[in-house]
Amino acid sequence: MADLHKLTISELSEKLAAGDCTSVDIVNDVLASIEANDGSVGAYLTLNAEDALAQAEAADERRAAGEKLPMLGIPVAIKDLLNVKGQPCTCSSKILEGYTAPYDATVIAKLREAGAILLGRVNMDEFAMGSSTENAALGKTSNPWNLDHVPGGSSGGSAACVAADEAIASLGSDTGGSIRQPAAFCGCVGVKPTYGRVSRFGLTAFASSLDQIGPITKTVKDSAILMEAICGHDPMDSSSIEMDVPAFGEKLTADTSLAGMKLGLPKEYFVEGMDPEVEQSVRDAVEHCRNLGAEIVDVSLPNAKYAIAVYYIIATAEASANLARFDGIRYGRRIDGKDPADLYGKTRSAGFGPEVKRRIILGTYVLSSGYYDAYYKKAQKVRTLIRNDFTEAFKQCDAILAPVTPTPAYKKGDKTDDPLKMYLDDILTTPINLAGNCALSLPCGFASNGLPIGLQIIGDAFQEDTILKVGHAYEQTTEWHTRKPEL
Ligand code: GLN
């Protein structure tokens, strides 16, 4: 093995361009790494080894014919809620047993166009509802840094496979933190793009006004490259924005100065109960950015404290409507009944796991007549206040620095019997989904027990290039991203 699986997208695309390796070589190394480690990590639900090799051969031919795209020949893993024609799309739920996707999601079509290799499908919390991948009905995923700990969620498989070098990069989705939080827990980089930046066509909807697809990678530059491949307007998604895609990758240069930039520090983001090691690592990262030339300014996000309450009303309301389609008639599993209502009831009772049922019940309740004004309507009003906080803050700074999570990855089972405890951990990520702007997560240290800590860099709407620039400057002048878990 030439250890190609340990490299980044940008390193591999240089090697491919120089003729130092082929895409088939890369896929073979990645497959060997999966074979060696996935028994303990458990990231993959479906691995398409033969098909990946065939795609790699085709990519090598495209390169021989003169194509130079940066994703050409790079193997990526896909969160199991994105439709890939002819493949299962389980959302890690029993209710989608037997379903085969009849079409490609737009991001998948874009990846094919860019020449990326689709390796397989990775585990997640059922329908993306959760923060630890313990709500998965179809597999168990561990944190590669300590197999007794959770990988985060809901894109736990997407982060774990990248951290374990079982994929060069992956796609996840982020409704309330599901890209940034597992990236932080597994020591990866993850980007939640601005709402409307990436097409949601072919993404199994959880909460349509919050969902965005984004990359999980080993470096900031790799996220920029993958972003460039998946962003762009799509007439199939009515919320997709008509806007040119910046050359995210090329904009990241060797210049690591942050001179002239203002970075905001929100006092409300150092919440009660925050792990002191997380707080220290983030404060050290802030100092590091100051040393790179940035001016640090205090900003305030006074309504962020309501984000959990607002998020768990809006997200469950939208989920209850979106998941109504899984009724045993059109998709996946069916349990017959004496009449349609009986069939729906039996299918949904057997097909959905407990967390999904809890959310459907909560969402139906907050939308029901008599409660709609008190819960859903009020939540929408507070959502506007949360968005206004960000608008005000970005008048004073170019980007905001913050923690991603109150603690590093915890032990499996620690929060499974108390859903509220798990919900509360989303306090630092959900405000960004509610406001619709962008944020990334990248490694900024390690706790004394060896688990990674993440730094969140939050940007205004469509300011991905700003947060990528800050992240890249921080990363290139620190060494956290070079560490690897021992497997
Ligand atoms: N942890 C959050 C939840 O359980 C976020 C999930 C997500 O972003 N998909 O809803």
Side-chain angles (χ1 to χ4, degrees):
M1 246 210 285
D3 280 354
L4 296 169
H5 59 292
K6 294 187 176 162
L7 302 183
T8 64
I9 298 174
S10 48
E11 287 165 344
L12 288 169
S13 69
E14 269 178 37
K15 276 193 183 294
L16 286 164
D20 290 346
C21 71
T22 65
S23 177
V24 171
D25 295 336
I26 301 171
V27 171
N28 274 324
D29 273 11
V30 171
L31 290 175
S33 167
I34 295 170
E35 171 77 32
N37 298 320
D38 207 49
S40 46
V41 174
Y44 281 86
L45 290 175
T46 324
L47 179 65
N48 302 316
E50 252 173 63
D51 185 52
L53 283 165
Q55 293 174 62
E57 275 172 27
D60 285 333
E61 277 166 28
R62 281 171 67 175
R63 191 169 288 275
E67 278 193 53
K68 289 190 175 66
L69 295 166
M71 285 306 297
L72 183 60
I74 306 291
V76 297
I78 305 297
K79 184 175 181 179
D80 204 9
L81 46 38
L82 289 164
N83 282 272
V84 178
K85 192 175 176 176
Q87 292 188 15
C89 179
T90 69
C91 300
S92 210
S93 179
K94 288 187 192 152
I95 207 157
L96 277 164
E97 224 170 60
Y99 168 76
T100 303
Y103 67 100
D104 275 343
T106 297
V107 290
I108 298 298
K110 280 180 172 288
L111 283 185
R112 291 192 198 278
E113 227 174 86
I117 313 298
L118 308 174
L119 272 172
R121 314 181 58 79
V122 285
N123 200 17
M124 53 184 282
D125 284 299
E126 185 174 0
F127 287 105
M129 296 172 185
S131 310
S132 64
T133 312
E134 292 168 298
N135 295 338
L138 303 182
K140 290 198 188 317
T141 306
S142 302
N143 190 312
W145 292 90
N146 182 333
L147 299 172
D148 295 332
H149 287 239
V150 302
S154 65
S155 312
S158 304
C161 72
V162 171
D165 292 318
E166 296 181 20
I168 305 303
S170 65
L171 288 187
S173 66
D174 192 313
T175 304
S178 280
I179 289 175
R180 290 161 286 158
Q181 185 258 26
F185 277 12
C186 291
C188 303
V189 176
V191 182
K192 198 296 274 184
T194 306
Y195 186 77
R197 183 67 103 175
V198 181
S199 167
R200 292 177 296 110
F201 181 69
L203 162 75
T204 311
F206 162 9
S208 307
S209 77
L210 303 161
D211 300 338
Q212 271 292 287
I213 301 163
I216 296 184
T217 59
K218 300 177 190 178
T219 64
V220 174
K221 178 105 183 207
D222 279 8
S223 272
I225 295 171
L226 193 43
M227 282 277 289
E228 235 174 288
I230 61 168
C231 289
H233 178 247
D234 178 13
M236 298 300 282
D237 172 0
S238 61
S239 65
S240 156
I241 301 284
E242 245 172 287
M243 199 184 237
D244 286 341
V245 180
F248 292 122
E250 273 166 44
K251 285 190 172 180
L252 301 179
T253 62
D255 176 16
T256 55
S257 165
L258 294 178
M261 286 199 99
K262 280 190 183 168
L263 300 179
L265 198 58
K267 58 174 185 291
E268 296 88 353
Y269 259 59
F270 293 90
V271 291
E272 219 185 279
M274 172 163 289
D275 182 294
E277 289 185 315
V278 171
E279 172 154 3
Q280 195 54 49
S281 293
V282 172
R283 293 207 184 268
D284 290 348
V286 172
E287 277 320 298
H288 187 92
C289 291
R290 198 196 300 273
N291 292 335
L292 293 176
E295 183 188 338
I296 308 295
V297 297
D298 287 328
V299 293
S300 181
L301 300 168
N303 293 294
K305 58 177 179 286
Y306 303 122
I308 292 293
V310 170
Y311 171 84
Y312 278 94
I313 290 170
I314 294 176
T316 56
E318 293 184 18
S320 71
N322 276 325
L323 270 59
R325 77 194 65 185
F326 303 108
D327 56 6
I329 306 291
R330 284 183 66 187
Y331 306 97
R333 192 159 182 205
R334 172 181 307 164
I335 297 178
D336 273 323
K338 58 182 186 325
D339 53 38
D342 191 36
L343 180 153
Y344 300 154
K346 283 186 174 143
T347 301
R348 287 165 69 85
S349 298
F352 288 135
E355 182 61 26
V356 176
K357 285 179 185 157
R358 183 178 299 123
R359 303 234 184 164
I360 292 172
I361 292 167
L362 269 172
T364 308
Y365 177 77
V366 299
L367 287 176
S368 58
S369 96
Y371 296 103
Y372 180 92
D373 283 358
Y375 296 109
Y376 186 74
K377 200 168 161 196
K378 191 151 202 177
Q380 291 293 9
K381 289 181 177 170
V382 182
R383 180 178 187 172
T384 303
L385 297 179
I386 292 172
R387 183 182 306 125
N388 292 349
D389 282 357
F390 279 106
T391 308
E392 280 308 306
F394 286 119
K395 285 180 185 160
Q396 297 159 55
C397 63
D398 302 297
I400 293 172
L401 301 178
V404 185
T405 55
T407 69
Y410 41 87
K411 276 215 171 95
K412 288 178 185 167
D414 265 8
K415 302 194 181 185
T416 37
D417 54 1
D418 187 352
L420 197 59
K421 214 156 127 193
M422 193 143 0
Y423 296 174
L424 288 173
D425 284 348
D426 299 331
I427 180 78
L428 306 172
T429 48
T430 47
I432 291 89
N433 302 76
L434 291 165
N437 51 324
C438 61
L440 67 76
S441 161
L442 85 169
C444 71
F446 285 82
S448 43
N449 62 4
L451 285 151
I453 294 171
L455 169 69
Q456 187 169 205
I457 307 177
I458 306 166
D460 204 353
F462 301 105
Q463 297 303 309
E464 283 88 350
D465 37 11
T466 307
I467 58 172
L468 289 166
K469 181 188 155 98
V470 176
H472 182 69
Y474 175 81
E475 180 189 78
Q476 293 311 298
T477 50
T478 51
E479 53 80 38
W480 311 116
H481 67 288
T482 61
R483 297 199 193 175
K484 299 252 183 209
E486 269 173 43
L487 280 160

